[in-house]
Amino acid sequence: MSLPRARGLLSVEPSLLGAPGLSPGPGSDPGLSDSEESVFSGLEDSGSDSSEADTAAEEEDGASSNEQHSRTEKPPGQQAGTPSPRTEVASVRFEDEYVEDSSDEEDIRNTVGNVPLEWYDDFPHVGYDLDGRRIYKPLRTPDELDQFLDKMDNPDYWRTVRDRMTGHSVQLTDEQVALVRRLQRGQFGDVSFNPYEPAVDFFSGDLMVHPVTNRPADKRSFIPSLVEKEKVSRMVHAIKMGWIQPRRPRDSTPSFYDLWAQEDPDAVLGRHKMHVPAPKLALPGHAESYNPPPEYLPSEEERMAWEQREPDERRLNFLPRRFPSLRAVPAYGRFIQERFERCLDLYLCPRQRKMRVNVDPEDLIPRLPRPRDLQPFPTCQALVYRGHSDLVRCLSVSPGGQWLASGSDDGSVRLWEVASARCVRTVPVGGVVKSVAWNPRPNVCLVAVAVEDAVLLLTPALGDRLVVGSTDQLLSAFTPPVEPAAQPAHWLEASEEERRVGLRLRICHGKPVTQVTWHGRGDYMAVVLATPGHSQVLIHQLSRRRSQSPFRRGHGQVQCVAFHPVRPFLLVASQRSVRLYHLLRQELTKKLTPNCKWVSSLAVHPAGDNVLCGSYDSKLVWFDLDLSTRPYRVLRHHKKALRAVAFHPRYPLFASGSDDGSVIVCHGMVYNDLLQNPLLVPVKVLKGHSLTKDLGVLDVAFHPTQPWVFSAGADGTLRLFT
């Protein structure tokens, strides 16, 4: 119950209900005037917490005013000494109210007027009484715990409200609670009020002598109306012009239409905007005839073949037969079934009108430049390098482009002269060569070879003798530390016999090595191991002969790794994703999702902003690192799995080798303008390798200075395309 309603109840209740325990006697007059009730309600409401003398004085004033009022209200013919019955009732009510008064009803009247009570929040009082004394707030405001205890202990808590004008709690009487309940139910506050009193019929049905109204009729009641005349004239004009049509009687007969008929635009269904006419059945041909030509009659073999086929695969759903006359044709056995299926097709098949856009198919194909405008790029096979007895898995070109190194399953590494296809040197390594990488520094002649569980560092001793001497001097300048630290790999010096072959260092890992790749500066190399866990990738430093595992946690089986050519990034390709790690900050920078089933190879553009991924599900994925982690373009030019991808270090070219035995060379122009997307155009398909054991091209690499591409195949040959 809100507080204003409670305050209103406190002031209104005595006037509505009277004093508690008082019933009107036989001599009392139930119909008091409004002035008398206001006098009594004023007496009942005038309570205060002042002294008893003030209360007695107020009672005397109230009694004297009551006597004076009764004296003035005395009817003529009544003596002054005999009190009227109304005066007696008033005096009885006045006395009984103060006799029955309780301490809870000693309401302190707050005379602050229409003033917001929030103004008294910071003061100890809430207002002033009739005498101007402050009305103080309770010393202690009850908190929620006090209210809960009072609710549990006080049985009259439900009828207790707080008066905001005085700050005290007021307990409602039974009459006030009954009044509230009546008001909540939508009833009248006064119990004695009868809302269903008999109605007085003011206009009776009997003819009266004097009518209720005897106003004469208006003049407009018997003069034609000009407004109605204007309305009628407008209607007549509309009927003449044909704007208003007379209502025609509706035809109650139902309208039927043929669902299979040819709908015209004026038909019921033809007027519907999105109506699609039902498809028509094909007209019967010669095969449906009862006397078909001889070429339509099936032979015994065709009849058996027709019966063995599935019903959906048969060209005709019946076998043509010949009858001598039309009356000899029996009933068609599947007639009802086919009619039923036709009905199902008509009303169950969703038909929708599709808006066709007239677009020239040539406009949908992007305008690509002609391949002759994108030269130079390799177009034909120039040389074939023969000598390996088994499939060639890997190859690598020297920084100067003069020499070529290849590794094969025959357990040897061969060094070739590029210009003449002559095998200069053969180094037996005693195992399958998984990866070969030439050191990118031009003043160092060093080749890293991945064989089984070790990485061999070979000196080919080709070219300039000063370069070969500086390479041996670089490797021999290392001084081992006094206390060697624990490393994930062991660095071993080569023996005298191995040094004669060209072997200088052996890095043992204990796990099979699948790939080795150099950093652009030539001092670091990354190695991929075929082992589960976080130690799949190791980074070796050549100058300090130190190895480290950069990751503490693995993310699937690592397929290949690559160093960023410009920034200190390491790209790690797993089966489903490519992660880009910042080596200095030691954090993950990006995660590329190529949407492939199995990533097989990885290459980074020389500028460093684009990445190329090949997959075993014959997809070639181009990533733009500045654009998104999603593929910029997915190329599906190969028919089988991709084994290798490569970028040209100088020309805008990239190539991919696949198990279909082909090398596809594409033009990939990356512009300096960031607002212009890369231009990817396939320019040439190079073929020459023969398939062996369902394997084709296993590795590709570009010449460092010329637009040439090398390929290693499963047929044991290497080929140069220029």
Side-chain angles (χ1 to χ4, degrees):
M1 185 189 302
S2 61
L3 218 48
R5 181 181 290 186
R7 291 189 63 254
L9 289 174
L10 291 178
S11 60
V12 173
E13 178 268 336
S15 63
L16 290 177
L17 302 176
L22 189 66
S23 60
S28 63
D29 187 6
L32 296 178
S33 64
D34 294 340
S35 61
E36 292 168 347
E37 289 187 357
S38 65
V39 170
F40 300 144
S41 63
L43 289 173
E44 291 167 354
D45 289 345
S46 63
S48 68
D49 62 344
S50 59
S51 61
E52 297 178 359
D54 296 338
T55 306
E58 290 179 2
E59 291 177 358
E60 293 175 1
D61 295 341
S64 62
S65 62
N66 192 10
E67 291 175 2
Q68 185 178 1
H69 184 74
S70 62
R71 202 177 299 122
T72 56
E73 293 289 337
K74 193 177 301 181
Q78 189 176 3
Q79 298 179 0
T82 60
S84 65
R86 295 185 180 180
T87 309
E88 292 176 1
V89 172
S91 62
V92 169
R93 287 191 181 183
F94 174 76
E95 292 174 0
D96 285 346
E97 196 224 323
Y98 281 96
V99 168
E100 297 295 332
D101 193 9
S102 62
S103 59
D104 293 341
E105 294 178 354
E106 292 179 359
D107 188 12
I108 305 172
R109 184 166 302 276
N110 196 345
T111 60
V112 294
N114 191 13
V115 172
L117 294 180
E118 291 80 6
W119 292 1
Y120 290 95
D121 288 345
D122 299 332
F123 294 97
H125 60 286
V126 294
Y128 302 90
D129 58 4
L130 293 172
D131 297 331
R133 288 190 291 271
R134 293 180 178 178
I135 302 176
Y136 289 95
K137 299 177 182 178
L139 296 179
R140 182 172 180 272
T141 304
D143 53 5
E144 294 184 1
L145 183 60
D146 294 337
Q147 294 178 3
F148 177 74
L149 295 176
D150 192 16
K151 183 178 181 180
M152 294 294 105
D153 299 339
N154 187 9
D156 295 331
Y157 176 79
W158 61 275
R159 64 166 68 197
T160 304
V161 296
R162 180 175 176 271
D163 190 359
R164 292 185 61 197
M165 295 294 292
T166 61
H168 294 282
S169 298
V170 180
Q171 183 174 334
L172 302 179
T173 61
D174 296 338
E175 291 80 4
Q176 292 171 343
V177 172
L179 174 61
V180 170
R181 288 176 176 171
R182 285 197 302 273
L183 294 178
Q184 286 179 345
R185 290 195 298 266
Q187 299 177 356
F188 290 93
D190 191 359
V191 186
S192 60
F193 181 77
N194 183 16
Y196 306 107
E197 292 181 354
V200 178
D201 190 6
F202 184 73
F203 295 95
S204 63
D206 303 334
L207 184 63
M208 303 175 66
V209 179
H210 300 285
V212 178
T213 172
N214 197 14
R215 184 164 170 264
D218 293 329
K219 184 180 179 181
R220 63 174 178 268
S221 62
F222 51 85
I223 292 181
S225 174
L226 297 179
V227 178
E228 294 178 357
K229 178 182 178 182
E230 187 177 354
K231 287 183 179 180
V232 170
S233 63
R234 282 202 297 266
M235 291 181 182
V236 170
H237 179 66
I239 293 174
K240 288 181 179 180
M241 298 298 294
W243 299 339
I244 298 179
Q245 297 291 340
R247 293 182 182 178
R248 297 173 181 174
R250 290 187 178 182
D251 189 7
S252 59
T253 59
S255 59
F256 300 101
Y257 54 90
D258 189 1
L259 181 65
W260 291 272
Q262 186 73 28
E263 292 98 354
D264 56 337
D266 299 331
V268 178
L269 292 177
R271 291 196 300 267
H272 195 271
K273 182 179 179 182
M274 297 302 294
H275 171 66
V276 180
K280 305 298 183 295
L281 284 176
L283 295 177
H286 293 293
E288 283 86 351
S289 173
Y290 74 95
N291 189 13
E295 60 267 18
Y296 286 91
L297 295 175
S299 61
E300 191 65 28
E301 296 177 357
E302 293 176 347
R303 184 186 300 273
M304 294 179 61
W306 183 86
E307 292 175 352
Q308 291 176 358
R309 289 179 182 175
E310 295 291 333
D312 298 336
E313 298 177 356
R314 296 170 181 170
R315 190 175 63 88
L316 295 175
N317 54 0
F318 65 95
L319 283 175
R321 296 169 59 186
R322 173 176 289 178
F323 298 95
S325 61
L326 189 59
R327 66 174 182 269
V329 177
Y332 182 46
R334 300 186 67 252
F335 176 76
I336 297 179
Q337 184 178 358
E338 288 187 358
R339 293 298 93 191
F340 179 68
E341 291 177 355
R342 169 67 175 168
C343 293
L344 292 183
D345 292 341
L346 285 176
Y347 90 92
L348 287 181
C349 179
R351 297 193 297 270
Q352 183 180 8
R353 187 185 301 274
K354 292 185 178 180
M355 306 304 293
R356 294 188 60 184
V357 181
N358 295 325
V359 179
D360 188 7
E362 297 295 334
D363 297 339
L364 300 178
I365 302 176
R367 300 292 180 182
L368 297 179
R370 293 180 298 177
R372 68 177 67 178
D373 300 334
L374 303 177
Q375 290 179 347
F377 54 85
T379 57
C380 60
Q381 178 178 309
L383 293 174
V384 180
Y385 304 82
R386 302 181 187 275
H388 286 289
S389 60
D390 205 343
L391 56 89
V392 183
R393 289 188 177 272
C394 50
L395 60 91
S396 180
V397 190
S398 64
Q402 186 179 2
W403 312 103
L404 177 66
S406 62
S408 172
D409 280 6
D410 58 2
S412 66
V413 175
R414 289 180 178 264
L415 302 173
W416 312 81
E417 189 179 12
V418 172
S420 61
R422 181 173 60 94
C423 181
V424 180
R425 193 171 181 183
T426 302
V427 181
V429 293
V432 176
V433 180
K434 293 295 185 66
S435 180
V436 172
W438 209 295
N439 194 299
R441 292 172 61 180
N443 58 350
V444 174
C445 185
L446 200 63
V447 178
V449 182
V451 180
E452 294 180 350
D453 63 343
V455 174
L456 309 180
L457 296 181
L458 303 177
T459 302
L462 300 174
D464 193 355
R465 293 183 180 180
L466 295 178
V467 176
V468 177
S470 64
T471 303
D472 291 337
Q473 185 178 0
L474 174 65
L475 296 177
S476 61
F478 172 73
T479 56
V482 180
E483 295 181 359
Q487 296 186 126
H490 302 286
W491 295 69
L492 302 177
E493 292 282 353
S495 61
E496 290 297 330
E497 296 179 359
E498 294 174 339
R499 292 183 71 87
R500 293 193 196 99
V501 181
L503 181 61
R504 293 295 182 264
L505 285 175
R506 182 189 297 269
I507 309 174
C508 298
H509 301 84
K511 301 290 182 180
V513 181
T514 59
Q515 186 203 4
V516 58
T517 180
W518 288 94
H519 188 265
R521 296 183 180 179
D523 192 22
Y524 290 91
M525 60 177 156
V527 174
V528 178
L529 306 179
T531 175
H534 65 279
S535 60
Q536 299 182 63
V537 181
L538 298 181
I539 296 180
H540 303 305
Q541 187 178 5
L542 182 61
S543 59
R544 297 185 181 181
R545 298 188 185 181
R546 189 175 61 181
S547 304
Q548 57 180 340
S549 177
F551 304 117
R552 291 175 296 188
R553 189 172 57 178
H555 295 282
Q557 184 68 32
V558 177
Q559 303 300 312
C560 52
V561 296
F563 284 103
H564 196 278
V566 182
R567 301 174 186 173
F569 290 159
L570 179 66
L571 288 88
V572 180
S574 59
Q575 292 184 5
R576 293 295 184 89
S577 63
V578 178
R579 287 177 167 83
L580 187 66
Y581 294 97
H582 198 293
L583 295 176
L584 297 181
R585 299 177 186 171
Q586 298 181 1
E587 63 182 9
L588 176 64
T589 303
K590 284 185 179 180
K591 180 183 177 182
L592 309 178
T593 55
N595 296 332
C596 300
K597 294 182 179 179
W598 198 306
V599 176
S600 62
S601 51
L602 179 69
V604 187
H605 193 270
D609 292 335
N610 297 272
V611 176
L612 204 62
C613 284
S615 67
Y616 290 117
D617 52 352
S618 66
K619 290 181 183 178
L620 183 63
V621 183
W622 179 290
F623 285 99
D624 191 343
L625 297 181
D626 296 334
L627 185 64
S628 171
T629 58
R630 299 283 181 177
Y632 164 69
R633 189 69 58 83
V634 178
L635 306 177
R636 296 179 176 87
H637 299 144
H638 289 283
K639 298 179 181 179
K640 291 188 178 181
L642 273 77
R643 294 287 176 175
V645 293
F647 276 107
H648 198 287
R650 291 189 180 183
Y651 292 95
L653 298 173
F654 64 93
S656 59
S658 171
D659 280 343
D660 56 6
S662 64
V663 176
I664 296 182
V665 180
C666 301
H667 177 86
M669 173 61 74
V670 177
Y671 300 95
N672 293 328
D673 187 7
L674 297 178
L675 299 178
Q676 193 169 1
N677 294 328
L679 176 64
L680 309 181
V681 182
V683 291
K684 191 64 179 177
V685 179
L686 304 174
K687 295 182 179 180
H689 291 278
S690 60
L691 299 184
T692 304
K693 302 177 183 178
D694 289 335
L695 298 177
V697 179
L698 299 180
D699 199 3
V700 293
F702 278 99
H703 194 276
T705 57
Q706 300 295 328
W708 301 345
V709 64
F710 299 90
S711 63
D715 54 357
T717 62
L718 291 93
R719 298 174 188 267
L720 170 62
F721 299 94
T722 60

